[in-house]
Amino acid sequence: MSEDYRKMWEGLGLDLAAHDALLSVLGQGYQQLFLSQKNRPAGMGYFDFVMSEVHGLRVKELLDAKAAGRKVIGAFCLFVPEEIVLAADGVMVGLCTGADFATEKAEELLPRNTCALIKSMFGFKLGRVCPYMESCDMIVGENTCDGKKKAYESFGALVDNLYVMDMPQMKSPQGRDLLKSEYYRFLKAVEELTGVTIDAARLKKGIAVVNNKRKAVQRLAKLRAADPAPISGLDALLVNQIFFYDDPVRFTASVNALCDELEQRITKNEGVFAAGTPRILMAGCPMAVPNWKVPAIVEGSGAVIVGEESCIGERGTRTLVKDSAPDLYGLMDAITDRYFTIDCAIFTPNPSRTEHIHEMKSACKADGVIHYGLPFCQPYQMEAIPIEKKLTANGIPVMRLETDYSSEDAGQLKTRVEAFVELLK
Amino acid sequence: MSGLLRCAGIDIGSRSVELVVMEGETVVHSRIAPSGFDPLASANALLAETHYDRLIATGYGRHLLELAQDVETVTEIKAYARGAGHALPGCRTVLDIGGQDVKAISIGDNGRVVKFEMNDRCAAGSGKFLEIMAHTLGYTLEEFGPAALTAQHDVSINSMCTVFAESEVTSLLHKGASRADIALAVHRSIVKRAVGMVNRVAVTEPLLFAGGGALNPCTRRLLAEALGMEIHVPEAPQMLGALGAARLSP
């Protein structure tokens, strides 16, 4: 890493020693899990570069954008509409939550039995190792699960720029009204922060950028239906993770370039694993960078992951915003409608999620489903049980896993995953 | 010497390593040794005692052999299912209480695994749990089951976490409960957990009970009572994984 980055990190108030340690672990993990894969598409080179510069160049870009008068807004959840941020010339970034960090410090503010994702959000802040968090002009929390909504109360004391968005829990007209009013409130807050008045033209531009980004990852998702799979699940997950960090226009172009290459591979019947390799659909909790444990175990056990029914995956990308309305109100309605289709497990009841898993299973030609839940994440853990019953009743093999970011269960996890893969063969 | 291939299976488990060599459907050699702190050395020592044409490794340490000697591996789940077919033809459900793991496996008409359950991250309810509880109560593992069968009074243990259960046992001893009564309570608690696991894979008869836990007469009796069915225990219940691996190796 260049000296400039160290100065930049120091300027952001990072704990340089702890940050060095984090980057070193991240780098080793990346080398071991990603760069060692065979037959990787050349188009992954761009994403390797982004990861190698995840706390470097990308952060510098954010700081340059800030210097040019743009505002940086950080989010933890895909219910935060990037369209609105972009409409005000803001930059949106997903914040760090995929690794155990400063857990002991986090546990001074949170019960031990809190999901790893929430603990991680506190750990990255308390350990001062997330340059994104430190670059944000506004951090958006959202009242999804009980864990998160209560955690933001304590998190608000750690940062001076937390904005909390309320969330509906039922897909009723009243629920939609709540979401819509919260999006209007967010629009106003973004306008205040940026000093930009958002009009229909601006919002349309924002919608177009984000829709294009989603279309690119939708294209990638479709190509994974091919057998042999043209790209590993780990690499595809990485693309879905970088979705939240990268410059959206550059990201879109890079995903489309990758897809062009994958199309050629498919024509040539070329893949990363042999044809007939057991195919797995991952469903459940999000896997933020660098939470690669389960996918690495799955693909190290002789299977290929062909889809992610996840917030970092299709849950957040499969629907687009309609951009046909002529005015701001119509476009805000369209944004509300689009985000209201997200089948997050905080909704009750949530039948569309089970339907979506069925659809994805067929679309990506998966042989079985692994449902991934973080311990203490009640919405996904609870929903996993009826989903497993329903899928099993329809003859689809399902395995439920519950695991966090630690490695204490590596032995049992590997045995269970391998046994599930054996069962699919 | 017969002209049949000698097919070996080795199960490198958390507590012991088992080796089975088969010619056709006949077991011609079987050995068990402690895993110790160098399970690969224990496995190699067993392998050096005999000869074989094919070998498959299973168990916790299966990847040790895969890395050291490029030996093919299968999971314990598949190995137990395959071993069960030999030990109890037509077997449909396997329960294994091993050193670190408890597994329940449902087997289809064709002998293949249909569904399985296995503990995650913690050895709660496994042989390790029994071993530590026996030690806390001053029994050897061999004495533990028979002693529990002499219990006179009902007491209960609620915790499945070894450390919590130890506190519970201590607290019962200090209330004056007899160690035989507590021993029975410990057995009840692990059987309750195992039954839960078996029910989750949909229990179908006949059921084979394997692993070191099946050597314990109290566990066997409580399990038969709780499931309301006959419990079949193979001759050498700890060898089932190695047997299955040997059957998979041709």
Side-chain angles (χ1 to χ4, degrees), chain A residues 285-321:
Chain A
C285 283
M287 289 175 183
V289 171
N291 180 10
W292 301 312
K293 178 170 86 170
V294 173
I297 289 178
V298 171
E299 297 204 324
S301 299
V304 54
I305 296 171
V306 290
E308 291 83 25
E309 187 278 326
S310 163
C311 306
I312 293 172
E314 283 201 43
R315 192 175 306 130
T317 56
R318 69 189 172 116
T319 48
L320 303 176
V321 175

Side-chain angles (χ1 to χ4, degrees), chain B residues 21-115:
Chain B
V21 182
M22 299 183 81
E23 286 181 0
E25 284 296 295
T26 312
V27 174
V28 292
H29 178 86
S30 82
R31 286 287 181 277
I32 181 163
S35 308
F37 52 83
D38 187 352
L40 181 59
S42 306
N44 281 329
L46 283 189
L47 291 171
E49 284 176 12
T50 184
H51 64 98
Y52 48 85
D53 301 301
R54 304 269 171 80
L55 173 66
I56 284 191
T58 187
Y60 246 63
R62 63 192 179 281
H63 295 297
L64 280 175
L65 268 187
E66 188 180 27
L67 293 169
Q69 299 172 28
D70 198 23
V71 169
E72 201 185 323
T73 63
V74 294
T75 64
E76 300 90 290
I77 315 285
K78 189 171 179 177
Y80 269 80
R82 192 60 194 259
H86 186 271
L88 177 66
C91 174
R92 297 300 294 268
T93 311
V94 179
L95 170 67
D96 161 55
I97 298 187
Q100 285 283 329
D101 296 323
V102 182
K103 298 182 263 292
I105 307 163
S106 164
I107 301 174
D109 296 328
N110 50 9
R112 289 177 57 110
V113 176
V114 176
K115 194 167 165 42

